Amino acid sequence: MRLPFTKMQGLGNDFVVLDGVRQTLALDRAQLRRLGDRHFGIGCDQILLVEPPTRPDADFRYRIFNADGSEVEQCGNGARCFARFVREQGLSDQAEIRVETARGLIVPRIEADGQVTVDMGLPDFTPAALPFIADTDLPLHPIEAAGERFEIGVVSMGNPHAVLLVDSLTSAPVERLGPALQAHPRFPRQVNVGFMQIHHRGRIGLRVYERGAGETLACGTGACAAVVSGIRRGLLDWQVTVETRGGELSVRWAGPGQPVAMTGPAVTVFHGVIELD
Ligand SMILES: N[C@H](CCC[C@H](N)C(=O)O)C(=O)O
């Protein structure tokens, strides 16, 4: 089958975006993995599928698949690219769109300067929301992995995140600890692992070893999770600039009961057609 696609990126986190509005798409796991494969396919961190909504208060449905073919609940950098895609494809002329995800509505808005702001909804710290096996909700949970003991913050942004504080991102044990924590038995559906270095109360550095994709240049939901975890621990102010390997993101959270707002770029790289068997 000849499948048109658009290649996009948000801070170097890259996506294959598919129009499931003008055509009905039903891709199996092998086909999704082919799209994500950087040698035998197109190559990306995630595949984003744009579909008509299934609920009356949404304009579109947003489905996200990691490069390994697993379907997941949320993708922050992808949400900004989603908004740019539907605008550029003429699927919507609204500045603000209501997007149905597996975990509720998010609302991206294209700003006058071309950046995209997304209301990412409310963070959820309860272990059951991730899921994470723990007795109760704590700002920090002790955990053992790769033969060492750590303390992690756990946050669901729809998808699960574990956040570790490190003194330096350059020496952070991402390659060793990322895989060990991602697949830790206390995370039955695995987890995205964020390594956060605090520069000051308004600026952090972040590296994320993503579930289903490995380390990416940026992770939008990971940035939201790291900031709200830091705010909850009294280490950060309500507005934080997040330095990722792919560039900077702004994250704002006014506290419990409030949604998280994220602002950053969304770039269309090229359009193409892949021969998919
Ligand atoms: N790997 C994530 C999905 C993509 C999230 C990330 N690319 C973002 O920008 O939020 C997961 O398995 O939950």
Side-chain angles (χ1 to χ4, degrees), residues 13 15 45-46 64 66 70 72-80 120 159-161 191-192 210-213 216 218-222:
N13 186 197
F15 309 105
D45 293 324
Q46 281 88 32
I64 304 120
N66 283 318
S70 57
V72 293
E73 308 89 345
Q74 194 53 271
C75 177
N77 289 322
R80 301 196 311 274
M120 293 295 293
N159 60 345
H161 291 270
V191 69
N192 299 285
E210 287 198 30
R211 175 180 64 171
T216 57
C219 177
T221 51

Side-chain angles (χ1 to χ4, degrees), residues 143-157:
I143 191 167
E144 285 196 26
E148 296 177 55
R149 282 184 63 81
F150 303 91
E151 289 195 312
I152 56 172
V154 297
V155 187
S156 172
M157 289 303 303

